[in-house]
Amino acid sequence: MAVVPALLVSCLLTSCRAHRPGEASAAGAPYRFLRAWGSEGNKDGQFAYPRALTLDQKGDVYVIDKSGRVQKFTREGQFLLKWELPEYANGKPDGACVDDEGNVLIADTHYSRVLCYSPAGKLLWKLGSYGSGAGDFVFPTGVGLDADRSIYVCEYGHTDRVQKFDSRHRFLAEWGSHGEGAGQFQRPMSLALSSRGEVFVADSCNHRLEVFSRAGKLLRSFGSVGSGLGQLRFPNDVALDAQDNVYVCEYGNHRVQKFTPAGEPLCVWGSPGSQPGQFSGPWGVAVDAEGLVYIADTGNHRVQVFAPA
């Protein structure tokens, strides 16, 4: 099932070839399917193309789908509550994270802002408005937090960049531009902060991850277009575990890949399909304190959970 074909259309500048389902199996399957929940629909516990998910400190799971609903579940998939974003007719939110107080920050992509909600779904604050100046956004896709509560937001549109704000939402810095060169982006889709404050950015249409310092200095990059171990095809989300290992869900390869913090590939699992352990255009990934990996299996309208084998 095709999911959001506009993403692929927007990336035609890159050289792509069709994914061959058998290619991803060479590294084995060190993660085992644990459970899944969800189906297509608008009832509690159902989804309409879930595109973002994040975890709080208790292990509860927040899932945001294209209908602008935020649903909260236990780690076992039991529905807890839901709320709706103020607007969603223009498009769908793409990214989310949780702060140390349990508040949920959402990149409200097509409304050019970041929204922050309490764990109970109360809107606390908004950041940004449409524009290309400092502190403005066009299409914000990912949001992340540093240990000092600095806020990082990646976006595409007028310019592909990362912006940094302090804990009081004051603009601090920005870096990046549209392109294929070092430190440039083509539709950066998400970001995550390591324990050392390194900023990992999923540079989706360049089929790579770029890693920056807190100040925006490019430190390294890894990945190239393809379906082999260590290669990527439209990485849409990135998450880190307690050891700063890197997990990437690949929209184009319908799989999940794990790397060391330095970018060395460790393992890969998944293939196109709807069976347990298969994916259809996965869009979101998160890792809990125990190392369980949660995937927004977008085209299959579900969440899948994997445990180390």
Side-chain angles (χ1 to χ4, degrees):
M1 180 183 296
V3 183
V4 195
L7 173 65
L8 301 183
V9 173
S10 72
C11 297
L12 288 176
L13 291 177
T14 59
S15 59
C16 304
R17 62 181 177 83
H19 170 61
R20 295 195 293 270
E23 288 183 294
S25 62
Y31 279 77
R32 58 183 176 86
F33 172 81
L34 189 61
R35 56 181 168 266
W37 70 83
S39 60
E40 185 175 7
N42 57 13
K43 296 179 180 178
D44 294 350
Q46 294 183 317
F47 303 112
Y49 298 102
R51 291 163 61 97
L53 82 169
T54 188
L55 311 175
D56 66 16
Q57 291 82 352
K58 297 185 297 181
D60 290 338
V61 186
Y62 295 86
V63 185
I64 304 108
D65 68 12
K66 80 167 189 176
S67 68
R69 291 184 304 161
V70 183
Q71 296 188 72
K72 182 178 181 180
F73 301 88
T74 68
R75 58 184 297 171
E76 289 79 23
Q78 178 184 356
F79 174 83
L80 295 174
L81 61 87
K82 70 178 179 183
W83 68 86
E84 294 183 358
L85 300 187
E87 301 163 287
Y88 63 90
N90 286 354
K92 307 90 176 172
D94 272 332
C97 69
V98 175
D99 70 16
D100 55 9
E101 296 179 351
N103 300 316
V104 184
L105 282 67
I106 297 172
D108 194 9
T109 306
H110 293 270
Y111 290 90
S112 307
R113 63 193 177 188
V114 173
L115 303 175
C116 180
Y117 289 88
S118 74
K122 179 183 178 181
L123 182 60
L124 301 177
W125 51 261
K126 302 177 184 179
L127 170 64
S129 59
Y130 183 84
S132 57
D136 296 326
F137 305 117
V138 178
F139 296 118
T141 48
V143 57
L145 291 162
D146 205 348
D148 64 0
R149 307 190 72 180
S150 296
I151 302 167
Y152 297 77
V153 183
C154 60
E155 64 171 312
Y156 72 95
H158 182 271
T159 183
D160 292 15
R161 62 180 177 178
V162 174
Q163 294 192 71
K164 180 180 179 179
F165 304 84
D166 68 14
S167 60
R168 297 174 62 184
H169 312 159
R170 295 175 298 191
F171 173 82
L172 295 176
E174 68 172 84
W175 65 87
S177 60
H178 181 81
E180 301 178 13
Q184 293 184 308
F185 306 112
Q186 287 199 88
R187 194 175 281 232
M189 286 299 295
S190 67
L191 53 79
L193 277 291
S194 75
S195 62
R196 296 185 294 175
E198 293 181 337
V199 186
F200 288 74
V201 181
D203 186 12
S204 184
C205 292
N206 282 324
H207 312 286
R208 66 187 179 189
L209 265 71
E210 292 194 297
V211 188
F212 299 87
S213 71
R214 288 181 172 96
K217 178 184 178 182
L218 179 64
L219 302 176
R220 58 188 177 278
S221 63
F222 53 94
S224 61
V225 62
S227 300
L229 182 65
Q231 294 183 312
L232 300 167
R233 191 178 297 278
F234 303 112
N236 265 12
D237 200 11
V238 56
L240 307 180
D241 65 18
Q243 291 74 45
D244 288 335
N245 292 310
V246 184
Y247 299 76
V248 183
C249 66
E250 300 178 54
Y251 172 90
N253 280 331
H254 309 283
R255 68 182 187 180
V256 183
Q257 194 161 180
K258 180 180 179 181
F259 297 85
T260 68
E264 294 297 322
L266 294 173
C267 61
V268 62
W269 72 95
S271 61
S274 58
Q275 297 301 310
Q278 295 182 319
F279 304 106
S280 176
W283 207 280
V285 58
V287 187
D288 71 12
E290 297 181 9
L292 300 183
V293 181
Y294 296 73
I295 303 296
D297 187 8
T298 305
N300 287 320
H301 310 282
R302 65 186 178 184
V303 173
Q304 293 197 70
V305 187
F306 298 86

